[in-house]
């Protein structure tokens, strides 16, 4: 019998790995629930005690998908947590893990190597329903209940649209949301204004600006300037504080060019590869035209969106017209910097760094920020036009042997609460807070980050999450594939046919997983 059990366990792991890999799902088998040991002890104030009789405390191991450069901002909040709880013996250490590696390994690590598994994971909340279904997480709401009358955690303190993704299908809370964010357009605002144009706010205006810039290129009246040349001259100044000399260099860098001298100029920087805008533009196109990303059963619903079809056809028509050939994610900031592009979609975590760079060399306001709001709505006056597809990070407690201790589990829950309620410094990395008390905090509203770029990312209440679906990978990845196809040079068929093909593939992957 013992041999049979071992074989069955191995077979389960093998089958899960095979099917989830082929279908694009996160790997892992369902994990049996662990028996929770209620070992929590309270002091005279009703607070949990985190040190034993030998003075040994609890050190939480945190794994996070938040990488450079915004992980440095998260570390600032983690340091504040350690300072606050140091005398209580509670400490936390974060390690960043690359997205692809994390999602491929975390479920199996928790299942097969729980001693080395993290106590808390910080990941994208759209994955939570799947993780919960695999039983690698423990309920967050039930953990807070161990605090009794000292429990000050409230789901009402978090944006409804964001925390909704932290529940599984049964309504159990498995996470505490940290933020919501989306891609943004980085815009050479100085080039737009120098050419007598204005920042767009709708799809029609966006295309009109691109058309006007290309017309100026054709007749030789396009104004542009290269930050690379400006940088070398400013860096060579004997007096780095000579603002008058800097301004003279900036102004003299402007050149009026045409098709012969600006052959590499195309207004929009997009990529036929799996670039980052593929994870936000098609999703927002669906939402801004009244569509839904998923049905109630978690399967994809984007295939019926006329807004998606219209947006993908528009982008397909931009090839070699507004989008240059052989562009990729590595050329985005290079072409924005040298003036060969005006619009480039990227993650918001680069905002502080890029604004500092452009302000320093080209002058304040040279680089603008444009949220996705309204840019893909066929009717910019509709009630859905302002919607933005949002992605959030969430804190969850892992189902490990160590976390079968109520004391350790409560420590992990308090960590999630502290980190989300004190996230002001973290938002500097380009993320909008999910916690209402942070959003309402004057320190946040008066911060340089908020007034410089966060307020231009759209209202966090308008962000729409993917939803509670355990089929995240097929729903999301196949929609991305539909977008990427439009920029491919080697393709056949129509946009409508390809959307249908991607939908059929998503449903086939879902059926394969359900049949297992």
């Amino acid at each position: 019998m013992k041999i049979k059990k071992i074989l069955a366990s191995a077979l389960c792991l093998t089958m899960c790995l095979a099917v989830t890999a082929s279908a694009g799902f996160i790997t892992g088998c369902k994990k049996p629930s662990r028996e929770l040991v209620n070992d929590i002890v309270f002091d005279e104030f009703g607070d949990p005690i985190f040190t034993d009789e030998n003075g040994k405390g609890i050190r939480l191991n945190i794994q996070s998908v938040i990488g450079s450069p915004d992980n440095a901002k998260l570390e600032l909040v983690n340091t504040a947590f350690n300072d606050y709880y140091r005398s209580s013996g509670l400490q936390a250490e974060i390690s960043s893990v690359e997205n692809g590696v994390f999602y491929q390994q975390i479920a199996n690590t928790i299942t097969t190597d729980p001693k080395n598994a993290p106590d808390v994971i910080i990941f994208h909340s759209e994955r939570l329903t799947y993780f919960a279904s695999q039983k690698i997480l423990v309920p967050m709401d039930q953990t807070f209940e161990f605090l009794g009358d000292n429990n000050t955690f409230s789901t009402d303190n978090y944006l409804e649209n964001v925390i909704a993704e932290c529940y599984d299908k049964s309504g159990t809370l498995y996470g505490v949301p940290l933020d919501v964010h989306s891609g943004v357009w980085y815009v050479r605002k100085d080039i737009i204004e120098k050419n007598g144009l204005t920042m767009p706010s709708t799809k029609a205006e966006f295309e009109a600006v691109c058309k006007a810039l290309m017309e100026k290129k054709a007749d030789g009246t396009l104004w542009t300037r290269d930050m690379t040349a400006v940088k070398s001259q400013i860096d060579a100044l004997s007096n780095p504080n000579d603002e008058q000399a800097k301004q003279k260099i900036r102004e003299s860098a402007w050149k009026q060019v045409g098709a012969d001298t600006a052959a590499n100029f195309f207004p929009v920087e997009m990529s036929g590869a799996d670039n980052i805008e593929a994870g936000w533009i098609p999703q927002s196109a669906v939402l801004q035209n009244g569509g839904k990303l998923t049905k109630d059963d978690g399967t994809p619903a984007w295939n019926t969106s006329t807004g998606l079809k219209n947006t993908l056809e528009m982008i397909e028509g931009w090839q070699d017209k507004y989008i240059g050939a052989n562009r990729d994610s590595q050329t985005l900031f290079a072409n924005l910097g040298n003036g060969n592009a005006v619009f480039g979609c990227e993650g918001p975590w680069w905002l502080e760094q890029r604004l500092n760079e452009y302000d320093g060399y080209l002058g304040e306001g040279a680089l603008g920020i444009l949220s996705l709001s309204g840019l893909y709505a066929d009717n910019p006056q509709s009630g859905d036009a302002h919607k933005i597809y949002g992605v959030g990070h969430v804190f969850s407690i892992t189902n490990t042997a160590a976390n079968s201790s109520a004391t350790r589990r409560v420590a992990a829950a308090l960590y999630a609460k502290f980190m989300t309620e004190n996230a002001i410094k973290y938002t500097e990395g380009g993320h909008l807070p999910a916690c209402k008390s942070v959003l309402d905090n004057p320190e946040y509203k008066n911060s340089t980050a908020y007034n410089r770029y966060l307020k231009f990312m759209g209202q966090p209440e308008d962000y729409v999450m993917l939803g509670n679906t355990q089929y995240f990978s097929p729903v999301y990845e196949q929609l991305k594939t539909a977008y990427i196809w439009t920029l491919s040079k080697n393709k056949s068929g129509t946009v409508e046919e390809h959307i249908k093909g991607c939908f059929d593939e998503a449903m086939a992957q879902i059926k394969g997983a359900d049949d297992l």
Side-chain angles (χ1 to χ4, degrees):
M1 291 296 294
K2 185 175 181 181
I3 294 176
K4 288 183 178 179
K5 287 183 179 179
I6 293 173
L7 289 174
S9 176
L11 179 60
C12 172
L13 180 60
T14 302
M15 291 177 67
C16 280
L17 286 171
V19 173
T20 56
S22 64
F25 285 93
I26 308 162
T27 55
C29 288
K30 288 188 178 180
K31 182 180 184 62
S33 299
R34 294 183 184 276
E35 184 176 348
L36 180 63
V37 179
N38 190 354
D39 58 357
I40 193 165
V41 177
F42 297 96
D43 62 17
E44 66 271 26
F45 304 107
D47 295 320
I49 297 174
F50 297 116
T51 54
D52 60 21
E53 62 276 9
N54 299 315
K56 184 178 180 181
I58 292 176
R59 190 172 191 87
L60 297 173
N61 174 16
I62 320 296
Q63 275 193 11
S64 169
V65 298
I66 300 173
S68 179
D70 42 332
N71 59 347
K73 304 295 185 181
L74 184 67
E75 189 60 50
L76 293 174
V77 189
N78 187 74
T79 298
F81 171 85
N82 286 337
D83 290 343
Y84 184 84
Y85 279 98
R86 194 176 306 281
S87 61
S88 303
L90 178 57
Q91 297 286 274
E93 183 176 358
I94 303 178
S95 59
S96 294
V97 182
E98 194 274 325
N99 274 9
V101 174
F102 178 91
Y103 290 121
Q104 288 174 6
Q105 297 182 357
I106 189 64
N108 287 332
T109 299
I110 293 171
T111 302
T112 63
D113 190 18
K115 288 185 178 180
N116 294 313
D119 303 298
V120 176
I121 53 176
I122 307 171
F123 61 101
H124 298 101
S125 55
E126 55 204 5
R127 311 258 188 172
L128 183 141
T129 300
Y130 178 78
F131 279 163
S133 73
Q134 296 300 296
K135 300 188 183 300
I136 67 168
L137 307 178
V138 297
M140 186 69 75
D141 45 6
Q142 296 173 18
T143 301
F144 277 113
E145 290 173 3
F146 278 106
L147 291 169
D149 293 339
N150 269 19
N151 178 21
T152 59
F153 174 79
S154 174
T155 56
D156 292 338
N157 193 29
Y158 296 85
L159 294 171
E160 289 81 0
N161 56 321
V162 182
I163 199 169
E165 206 167 43
C166 296
Y167 293 89
D168 74 342
K169 293 187 295 183
S170 70
T172 301
L173 186 73
Y174 277 93
V176 180
L178 172 63
D179 65 60
V180 63
H181 59 278
S182 181
V184 295
W185 283 101
Y186 292 74
V187 186
R188 281 294 299 269
K189 190 177 178 183
D190 59 334
I191 294 178
I192 287 180
E193 293 177 347
K194 183 70 172 178
N195 285 282
L197 305 170
T198 57
M199 289 273 279
S201 60
T202 67
K203 182 163 67 171
E205 290 174 359
F206 196 111
E207 188 156 15
V209 169
C210 292
K211 181 180 179 182
L213 289 168
M214 291 304 287
E215 288 175 347
K216 288 177 177 293
K217 171 184 172 180
D219 60 26
T221 61
L222 175 68
W223 287 101
T224 185
R225 61 176 171 171
D226 183 354
M227 185 171 65
T228 306
V230 174
K231 181 180 185 301
S232 61
Q233 293 179 62
I234 288 180
D235 288 347
L237 287 174
S238 57
N239 179 6
N241 298 316
D242 190 341
E243 293 300 324
Q244 187 174 3
K246 289 181 183 180
Q247 189 58 27
K248 185 176 180 180
I249 292 170
R250 291 166 184 155
E251 290 301 321
S252 63
W254 285 110
K255 307 293 181 185
Q256 200 165 31
V257 297
D260 54 338
T261 52
N264 291 324
F265 175 87
F266 288 90
V268 183
E269 190 75 7
M270 280 187 173
S271 170
D274 187 3
N275 202 9
I276 205 158
E277 75 265 9
W280 283 306
I281 289 178
Q283 296 82 358
S284 294
V286 172
L287 298 170
Q288 290 177 20
N289 291 284
K292 294 177 63 177
L293 297 173
T294 60
K295 300 176 185 175
D296 292 340
D297 63 0
T299 58
W302 41 257
N303 60 306
T304 60
S305 171
T306 56
L308 173 64
K309 174 179 174 291
N310 293 342
T311 296
L312 296 190
E313 287 178 342
M314 176 188 74
I315 293 173
E316 183 184 32
W318 284 5
Q319 290 186 92
D320 302 321
K321 182 179 180 182
Y322 303 137
I323 305 171
N326 302 317
R327 303 287 179 99
D328 59 38
S329 58
Q330 304 304 312
T331 67
L332 187 148
F333 285 118
N335 282 318
L336 282 179
N338 63 29
N340 281 334
V342 174
F343 300 98
C345 186
E346 245 292 359
W349 41 86
W350 298 110
L351 281 167
E352 183 180 43
Q353 177 182 330
R354 296 301 176 181
L355 286 173
N356 288 343
E357 180 183 17
Y358 281 75
D359 283 358
Y361 290 113
L362 295 180
E364 187 174 350
L367 189 68
I369 304 147
L370 197 61
S371 80
L372 302 185
S373 177
L375 293 183
Y376 308 101
D378 292 337
N379 177 10
Q381 304 304 317
S382 73
D384 296 310
H386 61 285
K387 291 180 178 178
I388 304 171
Y389 173 64
V391 178
H393 290 110
V394 62
F395 290 84
S396 288
I397 306 171
T398 57
N399 185 12
T400 63
N403 283 339
S404 62
S405 160
T407 304
R408 193 174 190 87
R409 194 179 290 187
V410 165
L414 289 175
Y415 178 76
K417 180 176 183 290
F418 182 97
M419 294 292 286
T420 56
E421 290 181 351
N422 296 274
I424 292 176
K425 294 298 292 183
Y426 168 71
T427 65
E428 294 176 2
H431 301 89
L432 303 177
C435 184
K436 293 178 182 177
S437 59
V438 176
L439 282 165
D440 295 335
N441 192 325
E443 184 182 347
Y444 171 71
K445 290 293 180 66
N446 294 327
S447 69
T448 300
Y450 177 80
N451 288 287
R452 193 180 185 194
Y453 48 89
L454 294 175
K455 68 180 181 181
F456 297 111
M457 291 173 59
Q459 297 301 315
E461 297 87 352
D462 293 338
Y463 281 66
V464 180
M465 319 297 277
L466 184 65
N468 304 90
T469 174
Q470 67 190 77
Y471 308 123
F472 162 77
S473 289
V475 171
Y476 181 71
E477 295 298 334
Q478 287 304 313
L479 179 52
K480 285 176 62 179
T481 299
Y483 166 88
I484 293 167
W485 175 89
T486 64
L487 294 174
S488 171
K489 294 292 185 181
N490 302 310
K491 63 179 184 288
S492 60
T494 65
V495 166
E496 188 171 15
E497 290 170 345
H498 192 67
I499 290 174
K500 182 181 184 304
C502 290
F503 172 80
D504 291 344
E505 175 61 24
M507 293 303 294
Q509 292 179 6
I510 290 168
K511 184 179 186 304
D514 285 346
D515 286 347
L516 176 64

